Amino acid sequence: MAVRRVMVTGASGLLGSAVVAALSRDTDVLPLAGRHARGGQRGVDLADPRQVAALGDDSWDALVHCAAFRSPDYCEQNHDAALRLNAGAPVELARLARARGAPMIHISTDYVFPGTHPLYREDAPRQAVNFYGETKVRAEEGIEAEYPAATILRIGALYGVPSPEVGSPMMEEALDAVYATGVQELDDRVVRCPAWVGDVAETIRFLLGAGAGGIVHASAGETCTRYGWTQLVAAALGLSAAHLRPTDRDLSRPARRPVNSQLAVDRLRRLGGPIPRDAREVLVELAPRLRRA
């Protein structure tokens, strides 16, 4: 079916705002946001089933669901809220999409895996090691039962260019460390595959027209720890990383992290979709927009 209007949840967030920008080039977009809704976005509380159900009265023929609590530490300490938004709302939205036969892309995470045996393919057993990952496992299972034709897109860590309207915690933390004057101790144990949010938005744009269905992985291929990531940012900016120090000690965060949950992207490659680029390549392009005065 030809997509005329796409409903995008989480439109005020890092990924959602990039998806809105990418899709707006060739289709009409209905951007939904929560309490951080700004100009042109409709404020909807997806934790309220009545407000979700009311979306069935709107005019849209495709859905990209980006909204979620993404902080593992927040989810570990707020189980009820995390379950409602991360696990309950996606199934209710899948029900709405199924009722009108609309393509749906649900954004999931590499944190559905334990991080002990990468690379993880789409059919690898789900086994989360923190509550955030558990909520996403429940969402995936609920969507598969409710609307098997939906696409579940698993992604890893995302970064963007921070702005007053849209933050990018991974980038902001790296920039704070790079520009700091004292020694900065950074995790050198947990491995991620940082992907540029604009690249992931283009993958979503492709999948919306591909009609693939099922689970798809999108990930950059370059792995790095938080220490390695911050070194890459410093190198792209032409700044010293001599004050950065690696550590593998427990940083005492509420939620446990998978050590390495890198995703295999074989299916996306077979579909002919765009693979997110490695950070080393992208950061060189972004450097002029990242420099601080």
Side-chain angles (χ1 to χ4, degrees):
M1 62 179 292
V3 173
R4 296 181 300 276
R5 193 180 201 207
V6 184
M7 183 166 70
V8 177
T9 70
S12 62
L14 178 63
L15 179 58
S17 59
V19 169
V20 169
L23 297 183
S24 294
R25 299 204 304 267
D26 46 25
T27 191
D28 188 27
V29 177
L30 171 59
L32 306 183
R35 61 183 181 275
H36 299 300
R38 52 186 185 271
Q41 299 170 353
R42 184 195 299 181
V44 176
D45 182 4
L46 295 179
D48 182 349
R50 293 172 299 179
Q51 293 191 42
V52 175
L55 297 174
D57 297 327
D58 282 301
S59 173
W60 51 272
D61 53 14
L63 166 63
V64 179
H65 179 46
C66 301
F69 287 125
R70 288 192 170 82
S71 165
D73 294 334
Y74 175 87
C75 293
E76 205 71 27
Q77 298 174 315
N78 297 272
H79 282 199
D80 289 345
L83 275 175
R84 179 64 242 150
L85 183 62
N86 289 7
V91 178
E92 293 162 4
L93 289 167
R95 190 172 297 121
L96 293 181
R98 178 176 62 88
R100 63 182 67 192
M104 174 181 179
I105 297 177
H106 166 73
I107 305 303
S108 192
T109 174
D110 58 334
Y111 273 25
V112 300
F113 297 121
T116 53
H117 294 89
L119 294 165
Y120 288 97
R121 290 176 170 75
E122 284 82 0
D123 59 354
R126 292 173 277 220
Q127 186 183 350
V129 298
N130 57 42
F131 196 73
Y132 165 68
E134 178 59 29
T135 65
K136 303 299 273 187
V137 168
R138 296 191 195 186
E140 289 190 8
E141 293 173 343
I143 291 169
E144 287 172 334
E146 183 66 43
Y147 192 23
T151 300
I152 295 170
L153 178 64
R154 293 186 185 132
I155 61 175
L158 293 179
Y159 63 92
V161 176
S163 72
E165 294 80 25
V166 183
S168 174
M170 189 170 193
M171 181 62 78
E172 291 171 59
E173 291 170 11
L175 291 171
D176 288 344
V178 167
Y179 281 100
T181 55
V183 170
Q184 300 294 300
E185 195 174 63
L186 300 163
D187 179 78
D188 197 33
R189 184 179 64 91
V190 174
V191 174
R192 303 306 304 273
C193 301
W196 163 238
V197 68
D199 286 350
V200 175
E202 288 302 319
T203 299
I204 291 169
R205 181 169 171 260
F206 166 81
L207 289 173
L208 200 58
I215 300 173
V216 181
H217 290 172
S219 174
E222 185 173 27
T223 61
C224 57
T225 62
R226 186 71 64 161
Y227 170 69
W229 160 250
T230 309
Q231 285 187 309
L232 288 176
V233 173
L237 294 172
L239 298 174
S240 172
H243 63 300
L244 305 179
R245 299 285 188 274
T247 180
D248 60 0
R249 67 180 178 83
D250 182 7
L251 297 179
S252 300
R253 294 177 292 190
R256 177 183 169 193
R257 266 63 169 179
V259 173
N260 185 348
S261 50
Q262 183 180 7
L263 302 171
V265 296
D266 299 344
R267 186 174 185 220
L268 180 58
R269 187 172 285 112
R270 288 196 303 271
L271 290 168
I275 309 296
R277 294 168 292 166
D278 289 346
R280 197 179 307 268
E281 174 186 349
V282 179
L283 287 172
V284 172
E285 297 178 9
L286 298 184
R289 300 163 60 191
L290 296 173
R291 291 191 177 92
R292 292 179 176 177

